[in-house]
Amino acid sequence: MTGVPASATGGTGRPAPRGKLGAAAVNQASLWNIANILTMIRLVLVPGFVILLFQDGGHDPAWRAWAWAAFAVAMITDVFDGHLARTYNLVTDFGKIADPIADKAIMAAGLVSLSALGDLPWWVTSVILARELGITLMRFWVIRHGVIPASRGGKMKTLAQGTAVGMYVLMLTGPLATLRFWVMALAVVLTVVTGLDYVRQAVVLRRKGLAEERAAARSETATR
C-alpha cells in the first residue's frame, strides 16, 4: 500500500514466459488484463466493504465477518495484481493510476469506518493517513530526481496495517482483542519509522539530483 505500485515499474520485471499471459504482456495497451481486473475488483470492494461493515449499526458480528471477508479479498488482490504486473509486464496507464488509489482507498475506508464506529481511536487513523498522504506528495516532490524504491520496512508496515485493520473489523474478545491492540501498535510504529526513513531518502535523493544538475550546468558552461 505504502511504495511504488507494481504496475508502475515500467516493465522492469522478469521476462514474460510463453503462453497466454506471456502473449497478453505483448499487448500492453489492453485495459482488460488480469492485473487491471484485480485492481478494479479491489476498487469495487471498497464501497461493498463499508456497506457490510455498517449493517445493523456496525456492531453485528455476522455482518462484521462478511466485511472482513471483503477486506481480506481486497488485500489479497493487492498482492496478486502486483505480482502479475511485475512478472508479465502488464503495464497500462490505468494500472499506474488505479493501483495506488485502490491500495489507499481500502485501507482508508477501513481506518475511517472503524474510527467512526468507535472501535479505533481517531489519532491512530490520523497518523496513518497523514503518513500515506505525506509520502505520496513527497514522491511527486522528488520524482524528477528519481524514484524512492519500496523498502522492506514499508512492506512490513503494509502487512501490519492490513492485519491490524482486519483484526479490528472482526469483533474479537479476550486474548485476541488484546493481540489486535499490539498488532495495531506495531503498525503505527512501523508507519512512523518508515515514514521518517522515506523523508530521509527523499532529502538525500533531491540533494543528489540538484548536485548533479549543477555539475551538468557547470560542465555545459565550461564547454562553450
Side-chain angles (χ1 to χ4, degrees):
M1 291 198 301
T2 61
V4 177
S7 55
T9 55
T12 57
R14 298 189 299 275
R18 299 181 183 277
K20 293 183 179 179
L21 285 177
V26 176
N27 184 19
Q28 293 183 17
S30 174
L31 174 66
W32 297 102
N33 64 59
I34 185 62
N36 283 350
I37 290 172
L38 290 176
T39 298
M40 286 185 274
I41 289 174
R42 193 156 72 258
L43 285 169
V44 171
L45 283 171
V46 174
F49 160 73
V50 174
I51 291 171
L52 290 169
L53 185 61
F54 280 91
Q55 287 296 311
D56 287 344
H59 297 288
D60 183 277
W63 284 112
R64 295 281 287 252
W66 282 109
W68 175 86
F71 182 82
V73 170
M75 298 304 292
I76 291 171
T77 62
D78 180 30
V79 174
F80 280 99
D81 68 356
H83 173 72
L84 291 170
R86 282 191 300 271
T87 303
Y88 300 106
N89 295 324
L90 302 178
V91 179
T92 64
D93 290 337
F94 172 82
K96 294 177 183 179
I97 297 172
D99 183 65
I101 290 176
D103 295 345
K104 290 176 174 56
I106 188 64
M107 186 60 63
L111 291 166
V112 172
S113 296
L114 289 169
S115 291
L117 289 170
D119 295 336
L120 187 67
W122 275 107
W123 71 265
V124 173
T125 295
S126 300
V127 167
I128 294 177
L129 295 186
R131 185 268 193 197
E132 298 301 333
L133 177 61
I135 296 302
T136 299
L137 294 176
M138 191 172 58
R139 286 183 183 280
F140 284 109
W141 180 54
V142 300
I143 195 168
R144 74 187 182 95
H145 302 296
V147 175
I148 304 175
S151 65
R152 181 175 298 180
K155 294 176 181 178
M156 291 175 60
K157 178 269 303 180
T158 301
L159 177 61
Q161 286 182 359
T163 302
V165 171
M167 294 179 74
Y168 269 86
V169 170
L170 291 171
M171 299 190 71
L172 302 176
T173 58
L176 289 177
T178 302
L179 176 62
R180 74 179 181 181
F181 169 84
W182 289 109
V183 175
M184 182 60 77
L186 174 63
V188 172
V189 170
L190 289 173
T191 295
V192 174
V193 171
T194 57
L196 292 175
D197 184 58
Y198 276 124
V199 171
R200 179 191 62 79
Q201 291 185 61
V203 171
V204 171
L205 183 62
R206 187 170 186 272
R207 286 177 177 173
K208 181 179 178 182
L210 292 174
E212 290 175 351
E213 288 177 359
R214 287 193 292 267
R218 287 195 296 269
S219 177
E220 184 179 350
T221 301
T223 56
R224 288 178 180 177

